[in-house]
């Protein structure tokens, strides 16, 4: 993804394309991605305005998402099958970081800890966070598991399996 200062698609390619190896073909990969996003108008020769390059989200140099939360540069976050409130190395930091967001959208099969961190967490129990002071709007979208629909799935052994939908 582009970073701050990458004004045009060509500047982006000049900056991040490697001379050898797989990433020597980065422009082809990126143009393919832009075609998937914006259609056939996306080519290496078109201007960045016609391929939607300026519309791509801009990343920050931060390597740690929690650091981004703490500096309040992120308004929201999508969690799909993730649960940083208990599944990260520093869960306390994650929960406190989630409390800084304006919104949080979570898609999961069950209500995980990242959905209800604002009312049920050790930080709430200890008084480090107060439910009334957390302004994070949480949107919970239930997801269907593999047993609820027809299709291919993998299990923990990474075996590819197919199953019909049960009636």
């Amino acid at each position: 993804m582009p970073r701050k200062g990458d004004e045009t698609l060509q500047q982006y390619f000049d900056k991040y394309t490697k001379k050898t190896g797989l990433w020597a073909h980065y422009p082809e990969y990126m143009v393919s991605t832009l075609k998937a996003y914006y259609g056939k108008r996306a080519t290496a020769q078109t201007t960045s305005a016609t391929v939607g390059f300026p519309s791509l989200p801009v990343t920050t140099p931060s390597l740690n998402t929690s650091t981004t939360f703490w500096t309040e540069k992120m308004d929201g976050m999508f969690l799909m099958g993730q649960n940083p409130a208990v599944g990260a190395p520093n869960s306390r930091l994650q929960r406190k970081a989630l409390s800084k967001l304006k919104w949080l959208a979570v898609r999961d099969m069950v209500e995980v800890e990242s959905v209800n961190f604002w009312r049920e967490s050790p930080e709430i129990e200890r008084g480090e966070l107060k439910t009334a002071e957390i302004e994070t709007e949480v949107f919970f979208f239930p997801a269907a598991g593999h047993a609820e629909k027809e299709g291919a799935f993998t299990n923990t052994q990474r075996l590819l399996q197919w199953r019909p939908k049960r009636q």
Side-chain angles (χ1 to χ4, degrees):
M1 301 310 277
R3 293 188 180 182
K4 191 174 182 178
D6 298 333
E7 301 297 327
T8 67
L9 188 58
Q10 190 56 52
Q11 284 178 339
Y12 179 70
F13 289 155
D14 293 343
K15 198 172 187 180
Y16 297 107
T17 303
K18 306 297 180 196
K19 293 183 186 200
T20 60
L22 179 65
W23 291 110
H25 300 282
Y26 187 66
E28 292 93 342
Y29 164 77
M30 190 62 177
V31 168
S32 173
T33 301
L34 290 170
K35 280 183 183 180
Y37 291 167
Y38 302 107
K40 294 178 181 177
R41 293 180 299 144
T43 66
Q45 289 73 39
T46 58
T47 64
S48 61
T50 61
V51 297
F53 181 74
S55 300
L56 291 175
V58 177
T59 62
T60 61
S62 172
L63 299 175
N64 185 337
T65 306
S66 298
T67 305
T68 305
F69 290 149
W70 284 111
T71 57
E72 298 181 15
K73 292 182 180 178
M74 252 172 95
D75 288 340
M77 184 175 193
F78 291 98
L79 294 177
M80 295 174 233
Q82 300 169 322
N83 194 7
V86 295
N90 188 341
S91 297
R92 178 178 173 267
L93 177 67
Q94 296 289 332
R95 288 187 294 269
K96 290 184 102 177
L98 290 171
S99 74
K100 302 285 186 191
L101 294 171
K102 291 180 183 174
W103 58 267
L104 174 66
V106 180
R107 184 189 73 187
D108 215 311
M109 293 190 300
V110 296
E111 184 178 325
V112 295
E113 290 83 359
S114 293
V115 172
N116 63 20
F117 77 93
W118 57 273
R119 71 171 190 260
E120 296 175 17
S121 70
E123 291 73 29
I124 297 292
E125 291 175 15
R126 288 192 297 262
E128 292 177 49
L129 294 174
K130 294 182 178 23
T131 298
E133 295 174 2
I134 297 173
E135 296 182 12
T136 307
E137 184 91 24
V138 179
F139 301 93
F140 176 57
F141 300 97
H146 73 275
E148 299 176 79
K149 56 189 176 184
E150 178 178 79
F153 67 97
T154 59
N155 62 14
T156 54
Q157 296 173 321
R158 296 187 178 141
L159 294 173
L160 183 60
Q161 299 177 1
W162 177 267
R163 69 166 311 283
K165 182 177 180 180
R166 299 203 185 239
Q167 301 300 334

